[in-house]
Amino acid sequence: MLSGCSVSSLAARFAFFPPEPATYAVRKDEAAAGAGRLVASGVPRDNAMDVLLVDTRKGNKVVAFYLKNPAARLTVLYSHGNAADLGQLYDLFVQLKVNLKPSEENTYADIEAVYQCLETEYGISQEDLILYGQSVGSGPTLHLASRLPRLRGVVLHSAILSGLRVVCHVNFTFCFDIYKNVKKIKKVKSPVLVIHGTDDDVVNWSHGNELWKLAREPYDPLWIKGGGHCNLELYPDFIRHLSKFICEMENMTTKMRLKKIRQSLQPTKKAPRVNTRTTTTFTTNCCCRIRVRKPSCPSCSCNFNCSCCSALRSCFSFRLFRCSTCFSCNCRSCFKCCFDCCCCGSCGDAH
């Protein structure tokens, strides 16, 4: 049996080994115009990018880059992979970094904190958000996506089914497994694009294929022939297919999206209540019918709740009647089944 410490060690060894030394550093801007503003050394100076240090519910701080584009209608919240940092991913969408005592729960707290920052600081709602998770970053991505029913979309790039399925090549889930995407993908209500290389020797292509099959609203996947784990961006089809997905999500009107959400949230309709005062006929073949009838109270309209009707509550009997339309046939199935009150004799079909 694995202890809590050994499970945490397994998660850390599998999930977190960022480059050392880091490819960037966060510091305060010394320039007069931007005094007190955070900047990242080691990456190109960009006035359209905010460098953020976001506090998480775990008491840690997570670094995030927010790249502003006034013409954009959607925002991509990107969870990067385990062997990279934000300095290496400067040119790729919205980015965040996982550090400071890494653990599975901490990464969940990190992405929740960044999402709340997008909501409160930039006014970005989940309807205008696409989540992007690469490799182990698919864990926090699907964690958040499973909790946001009105997301515009999700991108899974070289994603994993779960941690142990990568490390131990098992096909089932242990209680101590980490990043159980195989379960969380079923809770995601938005369109999901899966991108995976067929020659990925770190996370086998079967992970992406299974996630695509399990998605409730799968988008056309992109299987990059010959692609590995860390080089999919070099293939022309990558940016072409990803751009197509984002454009389609952008063109999806709010009305269409809300219609899909309402349909997914609608409870299963219950069968209509049968009026027990009327006769319901179920046709089974050409000459057999089943009739169910409840007689009316002879003295009032109390629906058999008064004392005078107490005797009637149990006076339903089952009687067989010969079919009135085909007396000449000899088949034993030609009977009409009638449930009726044996006291009131209201059934007029007896023969």
Side-chain angles (χ1 to χ4, degrees), residues 57-321:
R57 58 180 169 82
K58 289 288 184 177
N60 299 321
K61 291 184 182 294
V62 60
V63 181
F65 290 172
Y66 181 76
L67 282 71
K68 293 177 283 189
N69 181 357
R73 294 173 56 191
L74 301 179
T75 301
V76 175
L77 175 52
Y78 187 100
S79 299
H80 66 69
N82 51 353
D85 67 13
L86 293 181
Q88 295 173 324
L89 298 172
Y90 169 75
D91 293 321
L92 195 58
F93 311 123
V94 176
Q95 304 154 71
L96 63 90
K97 178 187 176 186
V98 176
N99 64 356
L100 299 177
K101 300 179 183 179
S103 73
E104 180 186 10
E105 287 301 318
N106 281 346
T107 63
Y108 294 159
D110 291 346
I111 196 169
E112 290 170 8
V114 175
Y115 168 66
Q116 290 172 3
C117 177
L118 288 175
E119 269 194 316
T120 58
E121 298 296 325
Y122 299 96
I124 296 170
S125 64
Q126 58 178 290
E127 292 88 349
D128 297 323
L129 188 64
I130 295 174
L131 298 185
Y132 192 120
Q134 179 182 4
S135 188
V136 73
S138 60
T141 290
L142 286 177
H143 165 79
L144 184 60
S146 66
R147 298 178 173 212
L148 301 178
R150 301 189 300 278
L151 272 178
R152 188 62 66 100
V154 175
V155 180
L156 299 179
H157 175 165
S158 303
I160 65 173
L161 284 167
S162 75
L164 287 180
R165 281 174 167 81
V166 176
V167 177
C168 304
H169 306 287
V170 295
N171 293 321
F172 42 87
T173 302
F174 291 97
C175 60
F176 52 81
D177 203 351
I178 62 174
Y179 298 124
K180 300 173 187 176
N181 292 344
V182 65
K183 292 185 176 181
K184 292 187 177 180
I185 185 70
K186 301 173 185 177
K187 301 178 182 179
V188 178
K189 295 182 173 66
S190 56
V192 177
L193 166 62
V194 180
I195 304 173
H196 218 108
T198 59
D199 290 353
D200 192 328
D201 58 356
V202 177
V203 180
N204 190 272
W205 167 82
S206 60
H207 286 247
N209 187 45
E210 185 67 18
L211 287 170
W212 175 69
K213 290 180 179 179
L214 292 172
R216 295 173 62 169
E217 195 174 337
Y219 187 81
D220 292 340
L222 175 59
W223 311 132
I224 298 182
K225 187 175 181 181
H229 190 67
C230 299
N231 64 350
L232 301 187
E233 299 90 342
L234 303 178
Y235 290 80
D237 284 346
F238 174 84
I239 193 65
R240 186 182 303 122
H241 199 78
L242 180 60
S243 298
K244 178 174 177 283
F245 173 75
I246 293 178
C247 285
E248 288 189 18
M249 295 304 101
E250 186 177 15
N251 292 331
M252 183 185 295
T253 64
T254 303
K255 184 177 181 180
M256 291 168 56
R257 189 76 190 114
L258 288 176
K259 182 179 180 181
K260 285 189 176 183
I261 294 169
R262 291 191 190 101
Q263 290 174 345
S264 66
L265 295 178
Q266 279 181 350
T268 306
K269 290 185 178 180
K270 296 181 180 179
R273 188 175 180 181
V274 178
N275 186 350
T276 55
R277 290 179 178 273
T278 61
T279 299
T280 304
T281 301
F282 305 91
T283 304
T284 56
N285 54 43
C286 62
C287 60
C288 289
R289 289 178 295 170
I290 299 176
R291 283 188 179 183
V292 181
R293 176 185 295 152
K294 184 176 181 180
S296 301
C297 176
S299 60
C300 60
S301 58
C302 65
N303 197 25
F304 296 95
N305 290 322
C306 68
S307 58
C308 67
C309 298
S310 59
L312 292 177
R313 294 177 186 172
S314 58
C315 74
F316 294 99
S317 65
F318 174 76
R319 293 186 289 173
L320 291 177
F321 296 85

